[in-house]
């Protein structure tokens, strides 16, 4: 049986969710076993080609683009094993690297388990999410890659390698967060916690009051398990979201969920964005209405249902990780720039928090972090807005999210990451020919 003939298909034009990256790979394959992945990688390596993996295509950057072989590992979605409980009740779980977070969360729930934290959607694959440093919010919590305790990957000669804290430790560091630049992840071992519910408390609050309390040890960032807020430019209102473990506020009524999440956050939001695209001068007024329309609500639900919400309005995004203390001056500078230029921005700015970690290429490496994410409706230009915000973020020592739009290059990212050169060394050793490299990894991680 000719594996290549049975497994590869004529390559379709591939594009990401945001329509900011596209590719026509020479070959596309969706292998269903690790052995097939290894054979496909070995063949591509022998031909001197290029291998990239795409998860759910939810990165805004061209991280997954390939001219050679593009792999999709949706079929590698098995739960391989669930480990025994540790003293704190957590367990290690090994899953296929292609599993989507949505499916993973439901599978974990069947075993009485959950991910400790999650971002605001659950469409991503587990490998894609960890590879770009995907994170949620919570001042004492860390990103998804920090929860990875081991990986199995297919390396540059098609060999299968186990990497964790004890074996191939340095490879493990770059494998768990490194844009797929040291191999194809086929399985991931994750630390999971006992399943829990969250009580969500969402309410509009004055921007000034929220900013004033941000650095306060007793303020909402530290007083809640998960705290974030959305600020609509040109308004002084923010929608705060505080999620705390336990509680008994009851479920959200299906009608209210539909009105808020589907009609206001998606249906009406699409219409208001289109309106601002046509009549740009309406943006400040529309933002005022939008900020007020999102009403207060409280409910309790399984953690994964509270973390993730549907996002159907297409947008472009840039997100910067700042030292936590820099977020207020950075937001004030953005406010000044927006009011000075009158830029059309009908999408809110999202602000989240995370604890320092020690994952080499994590945006939260070595420092407590505040994340500032700017979004732009896909029919509106984003370049000038994102450039201006990026300049502000750089002046505060910001690090860009690896999966979201930015203009940084390896030369100026290296000083921002104490272990950047170590990661480059590991990458050179694991992949001397650049089999797993593409233009984006060369730009942001450096050529070999
Ligand atoms: C609507 C939306 C909401 C988002 N919300 C958040 C959020 O709340 N928090 C946050 O931090 N980010 C968020 N993101 C960004 C998103 O989490 C990341 O871009 C993530 O990488 C996307 O996962 P994916 O499965 O789509 O990966 P892809 O974009 O397909 O791939 C990402 C990278 O992983 C590599 N990769 C994928 N699978 C493998 C594998 N098996 N082996 C090796 N490398 C692999 C790819 O080659 C690529 O370099 C959001 C994005 C969108 C579009």
């Amino acid at each position: 049986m000719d594996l290549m003939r049975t497994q590869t298909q004529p390559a379709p034009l591939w594009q990401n969710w945001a329509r900011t990256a596209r590719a026509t790979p020479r070959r596309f394959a969706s292998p269903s076993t690790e052995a097939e992945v290894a054979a496909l990688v070995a063949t591509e390596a022998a031909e001197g080609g290029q291998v990239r993996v795409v998860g759910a295509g939810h990165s805004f950057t061209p991280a997954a683009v390939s001219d050679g072989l593009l792999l999709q590992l949706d079929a590698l979605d098995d739960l391989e094993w669930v480990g025994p409980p540790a003293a704190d009740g957590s367990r290690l779980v090994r899953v296929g690297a292609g599993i989507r977070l949505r499916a993973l969360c439901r599978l974990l729930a069947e075993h009485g388990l959950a991910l400790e934290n999650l971002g605001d959607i659950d469409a991503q694959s587990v490998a894609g999410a960890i590879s770009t440093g995907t994170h949620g919010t919570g001042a004492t919590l860390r990103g998804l890659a920090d929860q990875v305790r081991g990986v199995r990957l297919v390396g540059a000669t098609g060999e299968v390698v186990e990497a964790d804290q004890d074996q191939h430790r340095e490879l493990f560091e770059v494998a768990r967060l490194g844009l797929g630049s040291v191999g194809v992840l086929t399985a991931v071992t994750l630390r999971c916690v006992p399943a829990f519910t969250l009580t969500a408390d969402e309410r509009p609050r004055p921007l000034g009051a929220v900013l004033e309390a941000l650095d306060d040890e007793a303020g909402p960032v530290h007083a809640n398990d998960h705290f974030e807020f959305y600020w609509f430019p040109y308004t002084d209102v923010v929608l705060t979201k505080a999620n705390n473990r336990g509680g008994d506020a009851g479920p959200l009524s299906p009608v209210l969920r539909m009105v808020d999440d589907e009609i206001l956050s998606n249906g009406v939001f699409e219409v208001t964005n289109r309106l601002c695209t046509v009549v740009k001068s309406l943006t400040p007024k529309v933002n005022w209405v939008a900020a007020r329309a999102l009403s207060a609500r409280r409910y309790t639900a399984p953690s994964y249902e509270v973390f993730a919400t549907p996002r159907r309005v297409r947008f472009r995004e840039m997100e910067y990780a700042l030292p936590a203390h820099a977020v207020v001056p950075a937001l004030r500078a953005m406010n000044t720039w927006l009011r000075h230029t009158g830029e059309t921005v009908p999408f809110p700015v999202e602000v989240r928090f995370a604890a320092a970690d020690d994952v080499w290429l994590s945006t939260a490496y070595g420092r407590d972090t505040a994340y500032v994410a700017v979004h732009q409706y896909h029919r509106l230009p984003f370049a000038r807005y994102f450039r201006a915000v990026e300049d502000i973020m750089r002046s505060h020592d910001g690090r860009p999210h690896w999966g979201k739009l930015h203009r940084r290059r390896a030369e100026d990212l290296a000083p921002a990451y104490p272990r950047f050169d170590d990661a480059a060394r590991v990458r050179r050793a694991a992949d001397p020919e650049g089999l797993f490299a593409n233009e984006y990894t060369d730009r942001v991680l450096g050529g070999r």
Side-chain angles (χ1 to χ4, degrees):
M1 189 166 76
D2 182 339
L3 185 69
M4 296 307 299
R5 235 180 258 144
T6 54
Q7 290 301 314
T8 57
Q9 302 153 15
L13 172 73
W14 172 84
Q15 55 184 351
N16 63 349
W17 178 88
R19 309 287 186 262
T20 47
R22 50 183 58 205
T24 314
R26 204 159 29 83
R27 282 197 286 242
F28 175 79
S30 36
S32 50
T33 65
E34 187 175 70
E36 288 174 13
V37 174
L40 287 157
V41 168
T43 305
E44 188 70 14
E47 291 174 7
Q50 178 190 58
V51 180
R52 299 295 294 164
V53 189
V54 62
H58 272 53
S59 291
F60 297 84
T61 50
V65 163
S66 175
D67 296 334
L69 173 64
L70 186 63
L71 294 174
Q72 182 147 50
L73 304 187
D74 287 12
L76 299 192
D77 65 348
D78 287 345
L79 174 64
E80 293 189 11
W81 48 257
V82 178
D88 64 356
S90 67
R91 287 175 191 258
L92 298 185
V93 169
R94 173 154 279 201
V95 287
I99 193 169
R100 301 294 168 101
L101 294 179
R102 186 178 170 77
L104 173 62
C105 289
R106 278 147 184 83
L107 198 59
L108 291 176
E110 289 171 17
H111 292 266
L113 293 170
L115 293 173
E116 183 179 64
N117 203 358
L118 204 59
D120 54 20
I121 59 160
D122 55 12
Q124 307 95 319
S125 66
V126 70
I130 63 174
S131 294
T132 59
T134 294
H135 61 89
T137 190
T140 61
L141 299 168
R142 298 162 163 194
L144 266 182
D146 182 76
Q147 301 304 304
V148 177
R149 294 293 183 269
V151 297
R152 204 167 61 233
L153 60 80
V154 173
T157 57
E159 80 283 13
V160 176
V161 184
E162 292 271 359
D164 54 37
Q165 305 279 356
D166 302 320
Q167 43 184 345
H168 305 290
R169 182 161 185 355
E170 293 199 320
L171 181 69
F172 169 63
E173 282 299 335
V174 190
R176 66 171 160 166
L177 201 176
L179 295 168
S181 64
V182 289
V184 177
L185 299 173
T186 51
V188 177
T189 304
L190 287 163
R191 175 183 172 270
C192 299
V193 298
F196 60 100
T197 56
L198 283 173
T199 295
D201 187 325
E202 302 173 3
R203 60 183 65 208
R205 301 249 299 125
L207 172 66
V210 171
L211 293 189
E212 246 169 58
L214 276 194
D215 293 331
D216 189 343
E217 280 301 313
V221 176
H222 300 280
N224 294 292
D225 293 333
H226 311 267
F227 177 76
E228 68 181 304
F229 65 90
Y230 291 86
W231 165 50
F232 283 87
Y234 307 111
T235 76
D236 55 13
V237 182
V238 298
L239 179 75
T240 59
K241 291 192 176 196
N243 297 330
N244 286 293
R245 286 176 175 231
D248 193 14
L252 192 61
S253 87
V255 175
L256 199 57
R257 182 179 283 277
M258 197 177 71
V259 170
D260 279 353
D261 291 349
E262 290 298 339
I263 301 178
L264 287 176
S265 300
N266 285 298
V268 173
F269 195 45
E270 172 72 41
V271 174
T272 58
N273 274 276
R274 278 180 188 245
L275 185 62
C276 294
T277 308
V278 179
V279 191
K280 296 190 169 52
S281 58
L282 282 181
T283 307
K285 280 204 181 73
V286 167
N287 284 3
W288 270 109
V289 174
R292 293 223 161 84
L294 292 167
S295 52
R297 60 180 192 175
R298 253 184 125 246
Y299 64 97
T300 304
S303 57
Y304 55 91
E305 286 182 18
V306 175
F307 286 133
T309 49
R311 297 290 197 95
R312 302 197 212 292
V313 181
R314 210 176 294 279
F315 58 87
R316 276 73 194 262
E317 180 174 351
M318 179 178 74
E319 184 175 50
Y320 259 84
L322 298 178
H325 61 81
V327 66
V328 174
L331 288 173
R332 291 202 197 285
M334 282 171 61
N335 192 18
T336 304
W337 183 86
L338 282 160
R339 287 181 189 272
H340 179 70
T341 58
E343 191 78 359
T344 304
V345 182
F347 250 87
V349 175
E350 186 179 14
V351 181
R352 294 183 278 186
F353 304 87
D357 66 37
D358 57 4
V359 181
W360 287 6
L361 293 178
S362 165
T363 49
Y365 183 90
R367 66 190 196 195
D368 290 339
T369 293
Y371 288 98
V372 177
V374 289
H375 309 75
Q376 181 60 294
Y377 182 51
H378 71 113
R379 294 174 199 275
L380 281 166
F382 64 85
R384 187 169 85 137
Y385 175 38
F386 286 11
R387 255 201 320 268
V389 173
E390 183 158 60
D391 289 345
I392 294 167
M393 298 299 149
R394 287 188 70 154
S395 73
H396 290 285
D397 204 10
R399 298 168 176 159
H401 190 302
W402 299 103
K404 301 187 182 180
L405 298 172
H406 68 94
R407 293 175 305 149
R408 305 285 290 274
R409 308 184 65 83
E411 308 82 86
D412 65 326
L413 286 168
Y417 287 91
R419 305 304 299 265
F420 196 92
D421 291 343
D422 290 322
R425 174 175 50 77
V426 169
R427 189 172 160 236
R428 273 195 302 276
D431 184 22
E433 305 298 329
L435 178 67
F436 300 117
N438 67 6
E439 265 183 49
Y440 180 68
T441 60
D442 281 349
R443 190 189 106 203
V444 299
L445 300 177
R448 283 149 319 276

